[in-house]
Every structure is written in structure tokens, then in C-alpha cells.
Amino acid sequence: MDEQRGPGVGPPERWRRGGPPRWWRYGPPGWSRRAAGRGDGTRWPWPSTVLLTAFVLIGSGFADHAQAGERVALDPLGRGLLFLSGAVLLWRWRHPVAVLWGTVAAVLLYLGAGYPYGPVLLTVAVAGFAAVVSGRRYAAWAAMGTLWAGHLLTVHVLYRWLPPSGDDAAPWTEEIVVATWVVALLAVSELARVRREQWARERAERARAERRRADEERLRIARELHDVLAHSISVINVQAGVGLALLDGDPEQARTALTTIKAKSKEALGEVRQVLDTLRAPGAAPRTPAPGLDRLPELVEQAASAGLTVTVEGGPPRLSPGADLAAFRIVQEALTNVVRHSGSREARVRIERRDGRLRLLVDDDGPATGADAGGTGNGLAGMRERAAALGGTIEAGTRPDGGFRVLADLPIDTEEDDR
């Protein structure tokens, strides 16, 4: 599918079906940047303010010519009110309520002075929109209601004493148009506010999801490194002790121990390199397959080189790569804990399949050689995290006879043959 292709393959992501393109999904282009700039006081809406102010001044000039003889001709005071109502919009994102009331006052003074009707109401529309989108809903409704009431008072009561002289009361149909215009403006502003809040929530959720994925990936890498290094270093530590003890009395056996140390350290370096390669190239396929229960004989051999005899009962079922890796690491960590913390030199691994679930039991006969016997630190926590990620459980604790048991219960997610 095109959605799964890498960069440069297939159509761009913005063409995908089933939703808006990625560049629009969390708001219009530049919306989040402008919204961020409004809050920190570093961005000013200069271009839109200049264009709107110029449009109001030029449009009102044309309206002045069209309404000559009907309304008061524009003079410096009228042009000053037009300029003021547009210029204050520069502060509409920092002080939306003050700007809105300022534009309402300027427009009411303009209309009360009898100047020609024109695009001056656009300044109130922009200021009201900014106030609603900024969350000052009640102040915006109050200001718009004041504008409508002021206009109603001007054209139906005070027109006798206001310029132009001899003017008649405005028809009520005009008031219905003004009221409709105000309600429509507030409705559009409310819709924009709701949509902006939705975009903000989606951006926040996307950021949380990205942080969550990063945390999960760090935990996964930490578990892999712990499991690889803890097991390998435990074997190396045991073999180093054997080699030192036999260096003078049995040089041949000491050589065998050193050979085991060399092989185990090489294997550990290879697995660490694989984890680091995955970290450097996220999403790339690993160069070597992840270990699974098919490598259980290697674990038994490595444990034997550390002086631990391991008996395996049962065979592993076919598992998905994730479940297979988790099962392998759980057994590996359990055997590592036996080597490090148990006085027993024998361990038993039993693999069972019950009701579509995999049960792994790792037992030793003890006794414990330290307070942290059984792996109560990061190893046991890592095992529990691996099991929980697959919907399974881990139980670990001492047995009545003094030994220690690790019981893992994992769901079996079998792989289907593609052939």
C-alpha cells in the first residue's frame, strides 16, 4: 500500500484517502506557528492589519462618493476614526477584548457622526473573530450586542439630533440584516474556536504519543542491553574465576575457560552491535534475526560452561518473532539469576502449551547465596515488562522446598505460512 512506502516512493502523503492531508490535519498551514507567536508576544499581524486598514480607507472613500448628499462627507475626523478602527487590530491577539471594544466604540462614533456606510464594519468583524477564537466568548457577545443596540439607538431614536440633518429613521429590515450579520459572525467565530481547540488537542495528543513511543523504545533497548550483558558478563565472571583458580594447577582447563570468555564476549559484542544498529537506523530491518527459543540449546551450553546443568522438558511451539524473543530473554534472564544468585548447580526448564498459551517454568533447588537471590532487580522487572507487553504475566518467588521458580505465562501468537 502507498501509505506504507518509504520517502520518495509512491504518491505524497497528502494524497492519502480517508482524511485530510497531513499538512492540514492539525490546522491550516502556519496556524500553529501563528498561535504560538500570539501567546509569547513576539509576532505581530502587520500584513493583515495594513491590508485591512487600507481596504477600509479606500472602500470608505468610494462609499463617500456613492452616498454624496445622503451622508456626511468624509473629513479628517472620519478618516481618523476609520484609521483608528483598523490600526488597533494590530493588538487583536494580545489584547482581544480591549481591541474589540475599541473598534466597537470607533465604529459607533463613525456611524453616529453620519459618515457614509461602507466596509468599516469589517474591523469589528475581525476583532470579534479574534476575541472568540482567543476564548473571550462572553466579552465578544457583549461587544457585538452593544454594537447592534448602539446602531439601533442611533438610527431609530437619536437620528433627529444627529447628522445628517433631515435624516429619517432606518427601516426595520435594515436592523434585521444587521442582527443577522452579527449572529452569523459570532457563529463562524465559535466554529473556528472549536476547531482550533480540536487542532490543539490533536497536536498535544500527537506529541504525547511520540514521547510515549520514544519512552517505549528506550525501555526496549534498555531491556535488550541488560539481558544481553547480564547473561554474558555472568558467564564471563564465572569462567574468569575458574581460569584464575586453575591457571597454575591446570593450565589446559584454564585455557578452556579463557576460550569460553573470548567466545562469550564476542557474542555479547555482536548482540550489542545489533541493538545499536537498530538504534542508529530506526525502522530498518535488523541484519541478523532476533534470537528465539530455537537457540535454547545454546543457552544450555553456555550455562554448562558456567558450571550449571540445565535440563529442558518439552519443545517450543511456533511463535511470532516478538513472543519468541520475549520467551528466549525470559529463560536467559532466569538462568542468569540461577548462576549469579543460587547455590544450586542444577536448573530445570519446562515448556508447556495450555489453552493457547505458553508456560515457561525455570526451577532451581537453591539455596540462595544473597539477599537479592532470584533476581529482584532490573532483570525481574525487565521480564515482567516483556510479558506485560504481550499480554502475559510473570510470577517469581521461592518454592516451599527452598528453591526458586520463575513462571512465565504468555499468549501464543502463531505465525501463518505465507506459502
Side-chain angles (χ1 to χ4, degrees):
M1 297 176 62
D2 292 333
E3 294 88 344
Q4 298 172 338
R5 296 181 183 177
V9 181
E13 286 189 341
R14 63 177 180 272
W15 296 353
R16 294 185 300 179
R17 293 174 293 179
R22 183 176 297 276
W23 52 264
W24 179 267
R25 189 167 299 167
Y26 300 99
W31 181 291
S32 59
R33 293 191 296 272
R34 291 196 298 270
R38 294 166 191 161
D40 60 12
T42 58
R43 291 182 180 269
W44 295 81
W46 282 102
S48 58
T49 302
V50 171
L51 289 175
L52 182 61
T53 304
F55 177 78
V56 168
L57 288 170
I58 296 172
S60 297
F62 284 106
D64 184 32
H65 290 289
Q67 301 173 33
E70 299 177 10
R71 303 290 294 176
V72 176
L74 279 176
D75 55 18
L77 176 60
R79 297 185 187 278
L81 289 173
L82 291 173
F83 177 80
L84 178 63
S85 65
V88 294
L89 294 177
L90 188 62
W91 288 270
R92 65 183 180 270
W93 296 118
R94 288 173 170 77
H95 309 288
V97 175
V99 168
L100 176 57
W101 282 104
T103 55
V104 168
V107 169
L108 285 177
L109 287 174
Y110 177 88
L111 296 178
Y115 294 116
Y117 295 105
V120 64
L121 292 177
L122 284 178
T123 60
V124 181
V126 173
F129 180 86
V132 173
V133 170
S134 299
R136 277 69 168 185
R137 305 169 57 198
Y138 298 116
W141 281 87
M144 289 299 183
T146 301
L147 175 66
W148 181 75
H151 180 265
L152 188 67
L153 182 65
T154 300
V155 300
H156 287 280
V157 178
L158 302 179
Y159 69 93
R160 300 181 181 89
W161 302 280
L162 296 176
S165 60
D167 195 12
D168 296 327
W172 283 101
T173 55
E174 180 179 314
E175 297 308 315
I176 296 176
V177 172
V178 173
T180 303
W181 177 83
V182 171
V183 172
L185 169 65
L186 290 173
V188 171
S189 301
E190 287 288 347
L191 179 62
R193 179 189 62 82
V194 171
R195 188 59 180 144
R196 181 190 182 193
E197 292 177 354
Q198 181 181 353
W199 283 328
R201 287 193 298 269
E202 290 174 352
R203 286 194 299 270
E205 180 59 31
R206 181 178 61 172
R208 285 194 295 269
E210 291 176 352
R211 288 195 297 269
R212 187 164 53 249
R213 285 193 296 269
D215 291 340
E216 291 172 354
E217 183 65 12
R218 283 194 295 269
L219 286 175
R220 185 190 69 80
I221 294 172
R223 285 196 301 266
E224 285 294 312
L225 290 175
H226 173 274
D227 293 345
V228 170
L229 296 178
H231 178 75
S232 301
I233 291 176
S234 296
V235 174
I236 290 172
N237 180 63
V238 171
Q239 292 298 322
V242 172
L244 287 175
L246 301 176
L247 184 60
D248 296 329
D250 192 347
E252 195 60 33
Q253 188 66 25
R255 182 187 299 275
T256 302
L258 292 176
T259 302
T260 302
I261 291 174
K262 179 181 179 181
K264 195 61 188 174
S265 60
K266 181 179 180 181
E267 178 186 346
L269 287 174
E271 295 198 30
V272 170
R273 188 177 295 112
Q274 179 181 347
V275 174
L276 295 179
D277 286 344
T278 303
L279 179 61
R280 293 192 184 99
R287 298 179 182 178
T288 58
L293 288 179
D294 57 335
R295 290 181 52 182
L296 196 55
E298 296 181 24
L299 281 182
V300 174
E301 183 180 349
Q302 293 167 4
S305 65
L308 180 66
T309 301
V310 180
T311 303
V312 179
E313 302 177 10
R318 194 167 188 176
L319 303 171
S320 65
D324 208 14
L325 174 62
F328 176 82
R329 292 303 188 197
I330 289 171
V331 174
Q332 183 185 52
E333 179 62 26
L335 294 179
T336 300
N337 287 335
V338 175
V339 172
R340 297 174 59 189
H341 306 301
S342 176
S344 174
R345 294 297 88 192
E346 293 184 3
R348 295 175 297 281
V349 177
R350 187 159 74 249
I351 304 174
E352 301 176 353
R353 178 174 181 172
R354 294 184 183 178
D355 300 327
R357 298 185 73 84
L358 175 68
R359 287 168 55 89
L360 298 171
L361 292 92
V362 181
D363 292 322
D364 70 86
D365 297 328
T369 58
D372 58 348
T376 58
N378 292 330
L380 183 55
M383 286 193 285
R384 284 176 174 153
E385 289 171 359
R386 288 184 183 276
L390 297 172
T393 59
I394 289 286
E395 297 178 9
T398 56
R399 303 202 320 265
D401 57 2
F404 195 87
R405 167 172 290 178
V406 174
L407 170 60
D409 184 85
L410 305 175
I412 296 179
D413 184 12
T414 57
E415 291 183 326
E416 298 292 340
D417 291 333
D418 295 331
R419 295 175 295 178

